[in-house]
Amino acid sequence: MDILLVASAFNSLSQRVYAELSDQGHRVDVVLASRGADAVRAAVREARPDLIVAPMLRTALPEDVWREHTCLVVHPGPPGDRGPSALDWAIAEEAPRWGVTVLQAEAAMDAGDVWAAESFPVPPVGKSDLYRGEVSDAASAAVLLAVRRYADGSFKPQPQSDPGIRVVWRDFFRQERRRIDWENDGTATVLRKLRGADSQPGVLDELLGREVFLHGGHPEDRLRGRPGELLATRAGAVCRATRDGAVWITELRPRKCSGAPAPFRRPAASVLASFPAPSGVAEGPPRSDGGPHWLPEHTAPLELPPDRSTWSDIRYRRHGDVGFLAFSFPGGAMSTDHCRRLLAAYRYALARPTPVLVLGGTRDFFSNGIHLNVIEAASDPAGESWANLNAMNDLVEAVLRTTDRLVVAALGGNAAAGGVMLALAADEVWCRTGAVLNPHYRRMGLYGSEYWTYTLPRRVGAETARRLTAEALPVSAAAAARTGLVDRPVPVPAREFTAETERMAAALAGAPDLGRRIAAKAAARRADEERRPLAEYRRDELARMRAIFFDPGASYHALRSAFVRKLPQDPATQTVTGGAR
């Protein structure tokens, strides 16, 4: 069928629905609802779709569109749930199970007939992680089922007036409900509030006399202080005391001031360092790690004891002959500091005698490449872009030059740009079937680096590499496996990915041909180096990237600024397919 996707943003779910519908042979075009009702109407007239699907909408479809065409809307709540903050309420009320409903658009919000619905358990994770994991899995299954039912022509959608559907209206989840009472809220309550707003909109709070939004929340088992007191920093996060414990907050976003540019999320410690020091504390420059000079840095060992319950964005553990280097950075973005610390951890892992090393293996993002928010906040964005890219290249090169063991990249979630190339530097790529890959740089106006001109053609061939980078389209895990981007799709729910990765890694380490594979890998690397040294790939890629970074007129700078501030971009940069509207 010809299907038109209407989405407020081409976000992770919209990309997954686009990729998986395309995999099934449908011709899928996309129009962004953020461009306005007239743009949606124009797209409908031009595409003349058999079906319209809206996987993610913040505004209603134009009435003339849903009256004249069948429009299926994805609602992140079970049948009968209505309102704009479904997931927020599910987390706040600690629902053990939740659901996704595909319903037909009509005048009343979320009130249309039900074409499909899927339920799922709600794990104790942040809203954005839940959205990209369990919600995405359920939404994908429900959309594909609804499309099959529509194509069949015999299915009759279920009206929500059916007695079996309990209709519940839930209001917009406002900041008043999110606000933390540091004197009285226990750690569990604080974590629930933070997790319910981790990506958007954040929890409005006050720090050092400034209003900020708090993003991300993780428990801390040892540090203690007066409720609300800032206790320490670690890897860009800040630790804050609760009534009965403490939590780590990974990012902060200052509240917008009148006339000022739109603020954006950044590592919490660096935001604090930009504020005046507390009363009675002398001013001083930020520490070398970017944190405020007056707040102590509290590090955590790479190998945490199993009885610890604390936050760390990089961890190493060893199970028999397998080493696991897990990392999880907010939004999948990797700053210069992230890359350098991960490289140090990688070298630590290489010093352990394991013939198999697994990178990643956690749920949610693997990596999205360089950290555009940190770059945008830098006093010299071009210089920080250059430093960040070189640090990313150093990490990828270390993986490529590892010849004494097999390295596996285990992608539990999405990856993009340099994050995909980090995965491709490994010997095997394992990818959860719900993940979406974006193996390109074009939408940020970049040529790309991280040795992509070596690793991408090596895996998929020169012609497919050219197509992937030029078309700049999302790729499903299944399509990635067909092209060679992925070696092993892993068909498990997000909550089971780590355990399944451990099982697969143990089997790999016990394979009788492991020694032969490691020897063959080393020989292939020597042969590739003789044909063309890695240094030449890096030199040529960086020459192209340097020219972009240090050109004030390059589109990268405007695209980056709009991206981090979530501002509307030029429609030309939002074209999703060659025939998309």
Side-chain angles (χ1 to χ4, degrees):
M1 290 192 297
D2 286 345
I3 298 176
L4 178 66
L5 292 191
V6 182
S8 294
F10 199 47
N11 69 345
S12 59
L13 178 57
S14 301
Q15 291 182 25
R16 180 171 178 181
V17 170
Y18 168 86
E20 294 187 354
L21 286 174
S22 299
D23 285 351
Q24 296 202 347
H26 300 291
R27 180 182 183 271
V28 186
D29 287 343
V30 181
V31 62
L32 296 179
S34 56
R35 293 170 59 183
D38 287 343
V40 173
R41 294 187 181 99
V44 172
R45 286 195 302 269
E46 187 175 349
R48 300 173 63 186
D50 301 306
L51 179 65
I52 295 173
V53 177
M56 180 266 183
L57 275 182
R58 298 191 186 100
T59 56
L61 288 166
E63 181 176 352
D64 53 316
V65 170
W66 59 259
R67 286 196 181 279
E68 296 171 15
H69 302 267
T70 300
C71 300
L72 304 184
V73 177
V74 176
H75 175 67
D81 176 82
R82 298 182 188 177
S85 303
L87 289 184
D88 305 77
W89 284 104
I91 295 171
E93 296 178 351
E94 299 183 276
R97 293 190 67 84
W98 200 241
V100 170
T101 307
V102 177
L103 47 85
Q104 189 158 335
E106 64 166 51
M109 178 184 286
D110 307 326
D113 293 353
V114 175
W115 280 83
E118 296 283 340
S119 66
F120 55 86
V122 181
V125 298
K127 181 174 66 174
S128 57
D129 186 347
L130 179 70
Y131 183 81
R132 288 184 291 267
E134 284 76 7
V135 173
S136 178
D137 287 353
S140 172
V143 167
L144 295 179
L145 176 59
V147 169
R148 288 196 301 271
R149 286 172 168 173
Y150 178 81
D152 177 69
S154 61
F155 179 79
K156 300 298 182 185
Q158 182 184 20
Q160 292 198 46
S161 58
D162 188 296
I165 294 179
R166 176 172 172 265
V167 175
V168 178
W169 173 264
R170 294 178 172 87
D171 291 333
F172 180 74
F173 204 91
R174 300 187 181 280
Q175 281 294 338
E176 291 75 25
R177 293 184 178 272
R178 302 185 193 277
R179 190 171 292 277
I180 296 171
D181 180 350
W182 292 98
E183 290 290 337
N184 297 301
D185 285 346
T187 300
T189 299
V190 172
L191 286 173
R192 187 169 64 250
K193 291 180 177 181
L194 290 170
R195 286 169 174 164
D198 64 341
S199 178
Q200 287 294 330
V203 175
L204 185 61
D205 202 357
E206 184 176 301
L207 285 173
L208 305 180
R210 303 283 188 93
E211 285 193 311
V212 295
F213 291 91
L214 315 179
H215 296 270
H218 307 270
E220 163 57 31
D221 57 0
R222 294 184 180 176
L223 296 177
R224 296 291 182 268
R226 299 184 307 278
E229 181 184 5
L230 294 170
L231 304 175
T233 68
R234 175 186 296 160
V238 296
C239 188
R240 195 170 186 188
T242 65
R243 175 178 56 80
D244 57 357
V247 296
W248 289 96
I249 299 166
T250 52
E251 295 182 310
L252 299 175
R253 175 170 58 93
R255 191 172 193 180
K256 189 179 188 312
C257 298
S258 177
F264 47 90
R265 287 184 290 138
R266 288 186 281 145
S270 67
V271 175
L272 281 184
S274 68
F275 291 173
S279 176
V281 176
E283 294 290 343
R287 294 195 309 264
S288 59
D289 65 352
H293 72 283
W294 48 268
L295 199 56
E297 183 181 13
H298 192 275
T299 59
L302 275 176
E303 297 191 66
L304 279 169
D307 62 338
R308 290 297 310 274
S309 177
T310 187
W311 173 83
S312 180
D313 54 3
I314 304 173
R315 296 188 180 187
Y316 177 81
R317 56 194 170 87
R318 179 182 171 186
H319 287 175
D321 287 335
V322 183
F324 295 90
L325 183 58
F327 52 93
S328 180
F329 305 122
M334 295 173 63
S335 67
T336 304
D337 176 66
H338 288 141
C339 293
R340 290 172 177 168
R341 288 191 294 106
L342 186 53
L343 176 56
Y346 184 77
R347 289 171 175 158
Y348 176 93
L350 291 183
R352 272 62 197 162
T354 58
V356 173
L357 175 58
V358 176
L359 298 179
T362 61
R363 56 176 292 152
D364 206 12
F365 284 120
F366 179 76
S367 168
N368 285 327
I370 61 176
H371 203 313
L372 300 177
N373 290 44
V374 170
I375 289 169
E376 181 70 11
S379 58
D380 177 9
E384 182 57 33
S385 298
W386 182 247
N388 198 165
L389 186 63
N390 274 281
M392 193 84 187
N393 272 298
D394 291 343
L395 174 62
V396 174
E397 182 177 359
V399 178
L400 286 170
R401 292 194 182 279
T402 300
T403 56
D404 65 342
R405 69 197 70 201
L406 288 188
V407 180
V408 174
L411 282 63
N414 301 346
V420 175
M421 307 315 159
L422 171 60
L424 298 189
D427 304 298
E428 290 195 12
V429 178
W430 302 346
C431 183
R432 195 178 82 84
T433 49
V436 175
L437 307 184
N438 278 279
H440 53 80
Y441 304 80
R442 180 181 169 191
R443 297 196 182 282
M444 202 48 58
L446 296 173
Y447 174 75
S449 191
E450 293 98 3
Y451 298 90
W452 79 264
T453 53
Y454 169 62
T455 58
L456 192 57
R458 180 181 66 165
R459 276 190 162 266
V460 303
E463 177 54 31
T464 301
R466 184 208 62 77
R467 177 178 58 80
L468 289 172
T469 53
E471 291 180 349
L473 298 175
V475 179
S476 69
R482 290 194 298 270
T483 61
L485 276 174
V486 166
D487 297 290
R488 298 179 67 177
V490 185
V492 297
R495 64 187 178 278
E496 298 177 12
F497 183 73
T498 298
E500 181 64 11
T501 297
E502 291 178 359
R503 186 196 66 77
M504 294 168 62
L508 179 61
D513 65 342
L514 180 61
R516 179 193 59 78
R517 289 190 61 188
I518 294 173
K521 163 190 177 175
R525 175 83 285 280
R526 287 193 298 269
D528 284 355
E529 189 71 12
E530 289 176 3
R531 276 191 294 271
R532 189 183 183 198
L534 287 178
E536 290 190 8
Y537 291 98
R538 178 167 181 158
R539 179 199 64 204
D540 292 349
E541 292 171 2
L542 288 181
R544 300 281 293 268
M545 292 290 276
R546 184 178 180 85
I548 295 170
F549 288 159
F550 291 94
D551 175 6
S555 62
Y556 160 69
H557 300 292
L559 291 170
R560 182 193 68 239
S561 181
F563 175 82
V564 304
R565 292 181 170 84
K566 302 186 183 302
L567 300 176
Q569 300 178 22
D570 186 304
T573 70
Q574 298 194 20
T575 299
V576 176
T577 73
R581 283 70 178 178

